[in-house]
């Protein structure tokens, strides 16, 4: 019952705030009043509606804030959420039981994850290339050696 009354006041204050905000003049209205737009003949007097409308808007905004805060505290209650008893379509379903865990191995220690199955041993051995044996150098003629010596002397 109390929540219904708060909701009605909440909506009425919101609608009144919207109406008061829309009635207020914007900043561009002051520029047009210098050219004889008839702004002096208003309902709220010669000073215009700035004081009344802005004051009423501030009061309604304060009430709106307080009602929002009050309803939030009233509905929240500050307690842990209660489990739902009426689940609708999900109420007829059964929750499957969780399978029992059997520890196969000791948990890994450290930051690096361990494989559950060890990797197979490597059977392929890479082939290492053998160094080439140098071929026997053919013996050179004495004449070619003599010619090379003579060319060095020149």
């Amino acid at each position: 019952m109390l929540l219904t009354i708060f909701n009605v006041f909440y909506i009425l204050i919101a609608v009144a705030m919207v109406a008061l905000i829309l009635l207020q003049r914007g900043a561009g209205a002051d520029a047009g009043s210098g050219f004889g737009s008839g702004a002096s003949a208003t309902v709220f007097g010669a000073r215009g509606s700035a004081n009344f409308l802005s004051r009423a808007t501030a009061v309604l905004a304060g009430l709106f804030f307080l009602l929002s805060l009050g309803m939030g505290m009233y509905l929240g209650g500050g307690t842990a959420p209660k489990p739902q008893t009426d689940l609708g379509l999900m109420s007829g379903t059964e929750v499957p039981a969780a399978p029992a865990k059997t520890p196969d191995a000791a948990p890994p220690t450290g930051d690096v994850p361990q494989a559950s199955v060890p990797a197979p041993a490597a059977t392929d051995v890479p082939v290492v290339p053998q160094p080439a044996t140098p071929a026997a150098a053919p013996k050179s003629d004495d004449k070619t050696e003599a010619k090379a010596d003579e060319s060095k002397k020149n």
Side-chain angles (χ1 to χ4, degrees):
M1 178 69 184
L2 184 66
L3 186 62
T4 305
I5 295 171
F6 277 162
N7 280 335
V8 169
F9 280 128
Y10 194 67
I11 291 172
L12 289 176
I13 289 173
V15 169
M17 270 181 50
V18 169
L20 286 177
I21 290 172
L22 289 176
L23 283 175
Q24 294 180 28
R25 293 187 314 175
D30 293 335
S33 65
F35 301 108
S37 65
S40 61
T42 60
V43 177
F44 300 108
R47 291 189 69 192
S49 61
N51 288 339
F52 173 74
L53 290 179
S54 60
R55 183 65 57 133
T57 304
V59 169
L60 287 178
L63 287 173
F64 188 81
F65 175 74
L66 287 175
L67 273 177
S68 298
L69 190 64
M71 286 195 314
M73 288 173 32
Y74 178 75
L75 292 176
T79 60
K82 299 175 185 174
Q84 293 182 349
T85 56
D86 181 22
L87 299 176
L89 294 174
M90 297 300 292
S91 63
T93 61
E94 294 179 15
V95 177
K101 287 188 174 183
T102 57
D104 292 336
T109 59
D111 294 338
V112 179
Q114 302 294 324
S116 60
V117 178
T123 56
D124 296 335
V125 178
V127 177
V128 178
Q130 297 295 328
T133 56
K139 290 190 176 184
S140 59
D141 296 340
D142 291 333
K143 295 178 188 175
T144 55
E145 287 179 10
K147 288 181 184 177
D149 291 336
E150 287 177 17
S151 64
K152 286 182 187 177
K153 290 179 183 176
N154 293 335

